[in-house]
Amino acid sequence: MKAQPDTLSGSPVARYYRANDPKWHWLEARETPDVSAFLESANQQQEKWFAPLAPLAEALYKGHLARRELSVTSLETPLDHYTFWSETGSEDDYPRWWRYLNGHPEQRECFFDVQARAVDEEFYEMGDMALSPDEQWLAWTEDTQGDERYTLWIKSLPNGQPQALISDIGAGLCWGEDQTAASATLFFTRFDATQRPDSIWRVSLPFEAPEKHAEPALVLREDDTEFWLGIGKTRSRQWLLIESGSKDTSEVYALPAQQPTAVPLCVQPRQAGVEYSIDHRPGAFYRVHNQASTHFQLDYLPESALGDTKAQWQPLIEPRDDVTLEGIDAFSWGLMIAERDHAQAQVVLRRWVLDAHQHRLLDEYLDLPEQPCSQLLEDAPHFDTQILRLREESFTQPPSWFALDLTSGERTLLKRAPVYGALTPEQLVSRRIWATSSDGEQVPVSIVMRADLADQPLPTLLYGYGAYGEALDPWFSIARLELLERGAAFAVAHVRGGGERGEPWYLQGKMTHKENSFNDFLAARDALVETGISDPDRIAAYGASAGGLLVGTCINRAPKAFCAALLDVPFLDVLRTMQNPDLPLTTAEYSEWGNPEEPEVAERIRRYSPMDNITAQHYPALWIEGSWFDTRV
């Protein structure tokens, strides 16, 4: 919480004000005792300010807990040998993982207790978990400091002794497919000085004594500071894919999963501004890319042609102006395709059955339960499966999981997240309106409220993000019910810079077009008033991270438009942050915000950077919350 010594003389933080540093830049040296002392004083001051609201905060918290399922059991997922699931107790913060031999549920056994590992730690975050191909070894990464630097652990299942192997690595893990009775290969990432995952490493683990592993070997290093590395495995389990990507450019390397020491093959050399992703079926690689269109298209390449620089990719789906191709999932029988309808700001799933020559034997869209909603393909580990799992939810309906039998077309409800309390999903209503922005663009705005109050202006919490192409597709929130039950509406402004209406929607809200995001958010606020949904004197704005930048800029420009604003870990000091390439993430963000070493870019960022545009005017009530070790903002 920012101290205001001119109005809070005698407050616990007033003594930390330095007249020669009115912008509090000394706080950037966060390891010094003065900084920690200041933050402790600020927290004490905050607690004193809000002490009168403590009973309400406690009531909201207890009300939230009363609505949600405190003890959660995940869906069971059968793999090749065992069926796996997790259980989180009502008093626990972390799950316990269980398994049983396929077909023998009576043999259930707990093989990994994350709650027990975290109980004695002041901070604990699980990075990733990875089962060996034979499902008898578990590798995982964990962070007990809060700095997102992880340690690799391994144990034999179910009751082997955990062993710490390698420290100061990234979160993600991936096994090769070279496992023998004696050893297997595990891949992981490492960081550079700015905490950028810049390299992929492999280590061969001898199962008899994993701690005696040889030194990890470098697989690939990325020297360009705007690119990050990650590694995964195709569902066919035949290829490992190393992805190097910046905010707008991709490059993928492939190596045979059974030959982890092979030299990675570049699938397609990077071209500035070209993004692509790769999937695989025996005989073919598939590429979703934007080389010819921002709406993306789908091509394929015979597997035998990988590495041939003269080989030509063949088109399967040409670019379309009204649809963005978002991605594919490859199975032995064909492809599941995700497409985003621009007009409806809605993702739909499409199923292709293909023969060996990539000819379509079946082309069908899956039904949607309602619009707008979110329908996602859940992880399907089996390449040959004929039963898919779908996850569906909306602003009014909690998440539900279905099994879709591709042979019969039958849908079976597997689980629906329960909702407790007086306010039920059936008592809610969702609407979609369109706001006219300053340039005439139509901006979708989603609203959810109590159905019995939908005919009157309501106090409204307006949420926005608008960066990185992140789409705010409909989601259900248990915590949101506390707000709705008290008679407020919750609205989402799907501003440009997000991905709700496809890739062009994202591009129209970044770099030189960033002003569109702010204009869209304010237009959404006005549309809520004009349609009679919102009380103009009781609209609060809410944004987190890059959404905090969105809200902070709009508060500077139109402080009277909102009665209050919540900024959660907000990105507010944009210019100063982007001028410091030594900070984590900064160089990787140049393609999103621009490089302020260019004078015209610096001036463009300065015009909207919230910290650079604070003026002597009446601001609404603000809640601004940050994190001491947040590596992003």
Side-chain angles (χ1 to χ4, degrees):
M1 174 105 21
K2 180 149 176 113
Q4 302 177 49
D6 55 327
T7 59
L8 297 172
S9 58
S11 72
V13 299
R15 64 180 179 274
Y16 291 98
Y17 178 68
R18 301 178 182 180
N20 64 342
D21 187 10
K23 294 187 177 180
W24 296 74
H25 290 157
W26 66 271
L27 288 174
E28 293 179 356
R30 66 181 181 187
E31 301 295 343
T32 63
D34 276 358
V35 172
S36 58
F38 166 77
L39 294 175
E40 291 292 343
S41 295
N43 286 340
Q44 292 170 11
Q45 181 170 303
Q46 177 267 327
E47 291 175 4
K48 181 178 179 180
W49 286 348
F50 289 96
L53 293 179
L56 174 60
E58 183 67 14
L60 290 170
Y61 176 67
K62 289 183 176 179
H64 166 67
L65 292 183
R67 295 180 191 276
R68 63 186 289 259
E69 184 181 27
L70 298 181
S71 180
V72 179
T73 300
S74 71
L75 291 176
E76 295 183 357
T77 300
L79 300 184
D80 290 344
H81 308 290
Y82 289 85
T83 294
F84 295 84
W85 75 98
S86 67
E87 297 178 359
T88 305
S90 59
E91 301 296 325
D92 295 339
D93 295 316
Y94 303 93
R96 294 173 176 85
W97 283 89
W98 296 76
R99 72 175 188 175
Y100 60 76
L101 192 65
N102 287 345
H104 297 277
E106 74 281 0
Q107 298 180 8
R108 55 178 277 156
E109 57 189 5
C110 180
F111 66 88
F112 190 42
D113 189 338
V114 186
Q115 179 67 24
R117 293 195 63 79
V119 68
D120 294 327
E121 302 289 349
E122 292 186 8
F123 177 90
Y124 186 89
E125 180 178 341
M126 172 67 69
D128 194 12
M129 292 172 52
L131 284 164
S132 62
D134 70 352
E135 302 167 25
Q136 293 296 336
W137 288 84
L138 179 71
W140 71 95
T141 53
E142 61 185 28
D143 168 20
T144 57
Q145 299 297 321
D147 57 2
E148 297 188 15
R149 293 184 179 273
Y150 295 84
T151 296
L152 169 63
W153 291 77
I154 191 170
K155 64 173 284 189
S156 61
L157 300 184
N159 299 314
Q161 181 66 30
Q163 298 183 63
L165 300 185
I166 306 172
S167 298
D168 197 17
I169 66 172
L173 298 172
C174 186
W175 291 91
E177 290 289 326
D178 64 329
Q179 183 173 2
T180 67
S183 66
T185 301
L186 189 63
F187 293 80
F188 61 90
T189 60
R190 276 180 166 154
F191 300 120
D192 66 6
T194 65
Q195 210 163 347
R196 174 183 66 97
D198 73 329
S199 54
I200 301 292
W201 298 74
R202 69 170 184 268
V203 59
S204 181
L205 299 178
F207 291 140
E208 185 173 332
E211 74 281 3
K212 296 182 180 179
H213 63 83
E215 282 296 310
L218 177 66
V219 178
L220 187 70
R221 186 181 299 279
E222 175 56 72
D223 293 323
D224 191 321
T225 57
E226 292 192 36
F227 284 75
W228 292 25
L229 286 178
I231 186 169
K233 193 187 313 182
T234 62
R235 185 177 283 105
S236 66
R237 295 170 63 166
Q238 294 185 10
W239 291 89
L240 298 169
L241 300 177
I242 299 175
E243 299 182 354
S244 181
S246 69
K247 295 298 182 181
D248 64 359
T249 303
S250 306
E251 187 172 63
V252 179
Y253 293 81
L255 67 154
Q258 295 183 352
Q259 304 172 39
T261 61
V263 177
L265 292 173
C266 182
V267 177
Q268 177 184 319
R270 70 187 63 173
Q271 301 176 51
V274 175
E275 299 176 83
Y276 70 94
S277 60
I278 296 296
D279 210 334
H280 170 262
R281 291 172 66 228
F285 284 95
Y286 300 90
R287 179 184 62 166
V288 176
H289 68 94
N290 65 344
Q291 188 167 0
S293 168
T294 58
H295 303 290
F296 287 79
Q297 67 188 70
L298 175 64
D299 300 337
Y300 79 93
L301 181 74
E303 187 171 5
S304 59
L306 181 65
D308 182 353
T309 58
K310 298 181 180 180
Q312 296 295 314
W313 292 80
Q314 302 300 313
L316 286 174
I317 298 180
E318 299 283 1
R320 294 154 292 171
D321 291 338
D322 57 347
V323 172
T324 291
L325 179 60
E326 295 221 324
I328 63 167
D329 282 273
F331 294 87
S332 61
W333 43 260
L335 304 175
M336 288 297 297
I337 302 167
E339 301 178 345
R340 182 173 293 276
D341 182 298
H342 295 174
Q344 299 299 321
Q346 173 69 56
V347 173
V348 292
L349 297 180
R350 184 179 182 183
R351 181 188 174 215
W352 275 10
V353 176
L354 300 173
D355 64 15
H357 304 288
Q358 312 306 322
H359 297 144
R360 272 176 275 174
L361 305 178
L362 177 69
D363 183 355
E364 64 179 4
Y365 286 90
L366 303 192
D367 292 334
L368 291 171
E370 63 176 294
Q371 284 188 270
C373 75
S374 294
Q375 185 186 65
L376 305 173
L377 180 67
E378 286 280 87
D379 185 38
H382 290 291
F383 189 55
D384 299 321
T385 186
Q386 289 293 320
I387 298 178
L388 300 180
R389 284 184 177 176
L390 303 176
R391 185 181 190 273
E392 298 174 352
E393 68 179 305
S394 69
F395 287 114
T396 63
Q397 294 298 317
S400 298
W401 289 264
F402 294 88
L404 175 63
D405 189 319
L406 300 179
T407 303
S408 66
E410 181 181 0
R411 281 168 50 104
T412 303
L413 177 64
L414 301 174
K415 180 181 179 181
R416 175 172 285 123
V419 179
Y420 304 103
L423 186 62
T424 66
E426 292 71 28
Q427 295 172 297
L428 304 177
V429 63
S430 176
R431 291 181 181 173
R432 170 70 62 81
I433 64 172
W434 297 83
T436 303
S437 195
S438 58
D439 61 352
E441 182 62 78
Q442 295 297 292
V443 180
V445 185
S446 299
I447 310 101
V448 59
M449 67 199 100
R450 280 170 41 184
D452 62 328
L453 300 178
D455 61 349
Q456 58 187 286
L458 299 176
T460 302
L461 181 63
L462 176 61
Y463 177 71
Y465 188 73
Y468 307 112
E470 187 73 23
L472 300 180
D473 289 325
W475 77 99
F476 189 82
S477 168
I478 295 290
R480 188 193 300 149
L481 296 177
E482 290 297 308
L483 182 75
L484 303 182
E485 186 171 63
R486 286 164 171 77
F490 178 80
V492 179
H494 303 283
V495 303
R496 281 172 283 186
E500 290 88 340
R501 301 190 71 189
E503 187 72 5
W505 198 249
Y506 166 47
L507 298 177
Q508 291 171 28
K510 65 178 291 191
M511 300 290 278
T512 58
H513 304 295
K514 190 59 192 170
E515 288 292 329
N516 288 332
S517 300
F518 314 128
N519 296 332
D520 291 355
F521 192 75
L522 293 174
R525 181 267 178 203
D526 293 341
L528 290 168
V529 174
E530 293 163 2
T531 54
I533 293 172
S534 301
D535 180 339
D537 297 323
R538 294 194 293 171
I539 302 177
Y542 172 29
S545 193
L549 159 62
L550 173 72
V551 171
T553 300
C554 291
I555 289 295
N556 273 333
R557 296 181 178 184
K560 295 181 180 179
F562 304 97
C563 66
L566 168 63
L567 296 89
D568 188 13
V569 289
F571 185 30
L572 297 177
D573 200 0
V574 183
L575 181 59
R576 186 172 174 83
T577 299
M578 296 307 298
Q579 287 175 331
N580 186 352
D582 294 330
L583 290 175
L585 313 185
T586 294
T587 55
E589 300 288 299
Y590 285 160
S591 58
E592 182 73 23
W593 314 105
N595 184 347
E597 289 185 3
E598 303 171 25
E600 65 276 13
V601 174
E603 181 55 32
R604 184 180 74 232
I605 295 175
R606 182 180 287 107
R607 285 197 295 268
Y608 66 75
S609 176
M611 289 290 286
D612 292 284
N613 288 279
I614 297 173
T615 61
Q617 59 180 333
H618 180 76
Y619 282 90
L622 301 177
W623 174 274
I624 305 174
E625 188 169 38
S627 175
W628 193 8
F629 283 103
D630 191 320
T631 60
R632 290 169 178 80
V633 296

